[in-house]
Amino acid sequence: MYWNLGKHLMNWEKFGNKNNNTLKNTIMGRYYNGDIEGKFWFGVQSSDAASRFSASAECEASFIEYYFNEDHLQEVKDELQRIEEILGENLQKIKQYFSEREWYDDSEMHEAGITDNMLSEYADYKLGKKIEECIEREGQCQFYAEI
């Protein structure tokens, strides 16, 4: 089973964004922080998932810095459309599945007809939607992804 919380190693790290530099208590996992924030899906989503949305990116030793602006918006929308086409009717099924729970386990998910590939596409879809909304709201989207 994969839980949002559980047994964690705690770690203090410094993350910066365009508004301020803050210290955040992070829980073991790979996070992205900046104009958008979140955690990559364990065992499902790679740290370079945002690359599929055609960002400008720079790779450092322990993180990838992504930068999107309005020039990238159509490419983000196109990739979101491709994911919607890949998932087809399953997109609504997956959204419904996750709207009813905070965690999932593989056997329960597979019983619901959700494959590992669908889950990976959905994780990227959610990241892409955050990027799209940020660009539309701010005119840009910049964040750091832990490797």
Side-chain angles (χ1 to χ4, degrees):
M1 251 182 237
Y2 303 100
W3 295 85
N4 287 344
L5 298 173
K7 289 187 177 181
H8 302 302
L9 297 175
M10 303 305 275
N11 185 13
W12 286 99
E13 294 192 25
K14 186 174 182 178
F15 293 99
N17 62 35
K18 69 178 185 181
N19 299 323
N20 61 20
N21 285 325
T22 58
L23 287 177
K24 290 190 176 181
N25 186 7
T26 63
I27 299 171
M28 189 172 149
R30 292 169 298 114
Y31 289 80
Y32 51 92
N33 296 83
D35 291 339
I36 60 172
E37 297 184 348
K39 183 176 180 182
F40 292 106
W41 291 37
F42 179 76
V44 172
Q45 190 175 35
S46 69
S47 296
D48 67 348
S51 295
R52 81 183 284 178
F53 297 99
S54 301
S56 298
E58 289 187 33
C59 188
E60 299 292 331
S62 61
F63 65 89
I64 303 170
E65 179 181 2
Y66 286 103
Y67 178 76
F68 295 86
N69 61 33
E70 291 172 333
D71 294 338
H72 297 106
L73 185 57
Q74 189 56 53
E75 293 173 89
V76 171
K77 288 179 180 290
D78 290 346
E79 188 61 23
L80 287 168
Q81 180 64 40
R82 277 190 283 281
I83 295 171
E84 289 171 358
E85 290 169 5
I86 290 167
L87 291 174
E89 299 173 357
N90 294 311
L91 181 57
Q92 290 307 316
K93 176 172 54 175
I94 297 167
K95 284 180 180 180
Q96 180 66 35
Y97 179 84
F98 284 104
S99 74
E100 298 171 352
R101 56 191 45 82
E102 299 251 338
W103 57 271
Y104 68 95
D105 76 30
D106 290 338
S107 62
E108 196 176 277
M109 188 182 67
H110 291 142
E111 282 177 25
I114 301 170
T115 66
D116 292 340
N117 187 56
M118 288 179 198
L119 187 61
S120 178
E121 292 292 334
Y122 182 66
D124 288 356
Y125 181 79
K126 290 189 59 93
L127 175 61
K129 291 301 280 184
K130 283 184 177 181
I131 294 167
E132 175 189 44
E133 291 166 5
C134 183
I135 295 169
E136 289 176 344
R137 183 181 61 248
E138 304 288 335
Q140 68 174 20
C141 184
Q142 181 176 2
F143 60 96
Y144 299 90
E146 293 179 357
I147 297 177

